[in-house]
Amino acid sequence: MQKPMRMEDLKGWEPAFWLAWKKYRLAYAFVLPALIAIGLVILYPLFSVVVTSFERYHLLEILTKGPTYIGFANYVEILKDPEFWYSLGITMYFTAACVILTILAGLAVALLLNLEFPGHKVLSVAILIPWVMPRVASSILWKWIYDDQFGILNYLLTLLGFKGMASYAWLAHTSSALWAVIIVVVWQSFPFIAVSLLAALQSIPAELYEAAMIDGASPWQRLRFITLPLLRNLLGVLTVISTIWDFKAFDQMWVLTEGGPAGGTMILGIHTWMNAFAYLRMGRASALAVIMLLLVTAITLFYLKIFNREEE
Amino acid sequence: MGRIRFRKRNIPALFFIYLAAFIVFFVSVFPFCWMLSTSFKRPEDTFTSVPKLIPPQFTLENYRRAFQDTLLGRYFVNSIYVASIVTLTGIVLSTLAAYGFSRFRFPGRKACLLFILCIQMLPSVVIIIPLFIVMRNLNALNNHWSLLVSYPTFTLPLSVWMLKGFFDEIPREMEEVAQIDGCSVPAAFFRVILPLTLPGITASGIYAFIGAWNEFLFAMTFLNSHELYTMPVGLNAFFGQFTVEWNQLMAASVFFTIPSLIFFMLVRKYLARGMAGGALKG
């Protein structure tokens, strides 16, 4: 039998809660629709992927017997799987190469655009093109550029004297396929870095450079002791953002190689997707997704640390 | 302030600057030009031992065939449909939320903002598995609903942060004056603040549109009949055919790129502000 509820029972919490709601009602009315939408399409899936990662959930078996709880078995299997470790290694290699090259290229282009030479305006619009093209469109375009027989890249390389490259199949060898995708990713992401850095460069007072020049500082010293220290925070943030973007890159790799040849460019994103939608092992794929999530969280925590430092 | 001048007579420096500028220009623009060039070439001029940038015989045949022989027109309509609905619903939700976050202080505000910022770090692969299971249970697979529901996962967070930046720039006195004149808070929002931030709202809407326009992973996973494909999935499906018709594929890619290009140029001056939120690039 349930005891009838009395008003006194509610005294402890209800008024405080209700008062808060009344006080901030208007604020919540503005914010809640979006928060509910985000909760439904992000929080719930996140919760559910963790649950599924502890289950045996095979898409074909699910029709007959439903998921069964199997504890950490999916994780144990993954950690014993050499394919996973290979994929993790490739992912780290791919991400690191993309980030380092993107930041260096972005910084170089930003420094170039910061010089006042006739034509810098044209150039600053031109560099936006790689960024504007849809990821899938530019991946398809680069696949055509990399074409072994009629691709323009091999033609240009033979013109430059690399006769051996005349019909080299870039996407058919593991190491060159990985680098081919790295180049596409860097090509697409350097404009963002360059534009961000250029904005920061232009806010550095010219007097700093003039003073340094009077003191006889060489261009290299001006870069090393004035520009880079002033850009340090932004460079840090951009590095972390790039790391996260390149870690989750999927489209370019999928269009260019589909993880091939023979699984040679199977980065974690594609490895997870294949487990879920090619082998239909949803439980195992969910565990992989959770592992990816933990890796991204580690990077994000680092990002938040920088973000909070800048807020203060 | 800012830009670095150098002496005009410094010829070696000028030479290296132009060399570097040429390389950057070539790398950025050439692939795009190559795509245009291939799309206007006849196949017999494409597969030659000495490729030419300017088509020897200019033709629109590739575009015509891309539309007639494939479902390109269909993909285009699907993409426009999905991206427009995602953009419109996104604008409503994110404008309200951004205003709330910008103007009110309430318990949980900072936590929610940080959470929304963190969502942008989520790889789509992580949430695509549970979303797939949900869509399957709701019978929404192979249906545009699955995309309309899942695209806000990446459009909303960006829009909220971007718009919050725009609202933060408008002085609070604007509403206070309106409220003194007898407007309620919602009326002040709709009559005074909204018109002022319209450019910002448009810009964030366009970003959402470009994001949805470009999205590949969800569409590839959730859709499997060609009639429902969006542009990216449809174009990638060209590779499934026995031989790749590069000319047609490049024509289709040009067609896929143009809307993105136009929209992007429209919001170019808002670039820097969008970045403050910490995540563009779809």
Side-chain angles (χ1 to χ4, degrees), chain B:
Chain B
M1 204 172 86
R3 277 184 204 283
I4 296 177
R5 292 161 186 280
F6 52 93
R7 272 155 290 157
K8 283 265 154 62
R9 254 168 281 154
N10 193 342
I11 302 292
L14 206 60
F15 171 76
F16 280 112
I17 286 167
Y18 273 107
L19 182 69
F22 173 75
I23 293 172
V24 173
F25 185 82
F26 179 82
V27 168
S28 310
V29 175
F30 179 76
F32 181 75
C33 295
W34 188 239
M35 173 171 83
L36 279 178
S37 159
T38 309
S39 78
F40 291 123
K41 263 186 215 166
R42 295 176 307 172
E44 54 267 42
D45 295 327
T46 309
F47 304 102
T48 54
S49 54
V50 181
K52 291 197 172 59
L53 183 60
I54 310 290
Q57 176 93 46
F58 186 89
T59 174
L60 287 172
E61 182 68 8
N62 302 314
Y63 287 87
R64 193 186 64 77
R65 290 198 36 214
F67 274 98
Q68 269 181 7
D69 301 355
T70 72
L71 288 169
L72 186 64
R74 195 67 213 252
Y75 304 152
F76 186 79
V77 173
N78 290 338
S79 268
I80 293 274
Y81 167 76
V82 170
S84 307
I85 294 192
V86 168
T87 306
L88 290 178
T89 51
I91 282 179
V92 175
L93 290 179
S94 56
T95 306
L96 288 176
Y99 184 77
F101 281 123
S102 166
R103 285 303 196 261
F104 300 101
R105 297 293 174 270
F106 51 90
R109 174 180 173 273
K110 209 173 174 198
C112 288
L113 274 174
L114 277 184
F115 176 69
I116 293 175
L117 189 71
C118 293
I119 293 171
Q120 298 180 359
M121 313 300 161
L122 267 184
S124 306
V125 177
V126 171
I127 50 173
I128 204 168
I129 299 165
L131 279 179
F132 180 87
I133 295 174
V134 172
M135 300 299 171
R136 209 175 65 100
N137 293 340
L138 293 177
N139 253 333
L141 283 182
N142 204 22
N143 186 319
H144 283 149
W145 273 104
S146 55
L147 304 186
L148 299 180
V149 170
S150 51
Y151 282 5
T153 53
F154 58 88
T155 58
L156 270 188
L158 175 64
S159 307
V160 169
W161 266 92
M162 211 174 149
L163 283 170
K164 181 182 165 287
F166 286 113
F167 285 126
D168 284 345
E169 277 172 20
I170 295 178
R172 275 167 170 272
E173 286 78 36
M174 300 296 295
E175 288 120 298
E176 280 160 15
V177 168
Q179 280 162 34
I180 288 167
D181 287 348
C183 274
S184 65
V185 174
F189 169 68
F190 281 111
R191 293 209 195 139
V192 181
I193 303 303
L194 216 51
L196 281 174
T197 37
L198 209 56
I201 293 173
T202 315
S204 81
I206 287 177
Y207 275 119
F209 188 93
I210 294 177
W213 180 259
N214 290 350
E215 205 287 330
F216 174 66
L217 182 54
F218 286 115
M220 173 182 79
T221 310
F222 292 154
L223 306 176
N224 58 40
S225 53
H226 279 259
E227 293 75 42
L228 293 175
Y229 279 177
T230 52
M231 289 291 273
V233 194
L235 293 202
N236 191 49
F238 274 54
F239 288 118
Q241 292 155 6
F242 192 61
T243 52
V244 183
E245 303 258 9
W246 283 111
N247 299 95
Q248 276 182 49
L249 190 48
M250 286 300 117
S253 298
V254 170
F255 201 70
F256 178 31
T257 304
I258 297 293
S260 193
L261 194 86
I262 294 171
F263 279 138
F264 198 88
M265 289 302 160
L266 286 180
V267 288
R268 203 159 64 85
K269 61 177 174 170
Y270 297 104
L271 281 183
R273 304 216 225 160
M275 283 165 200
L280 276 183
K281 193 184 159 180

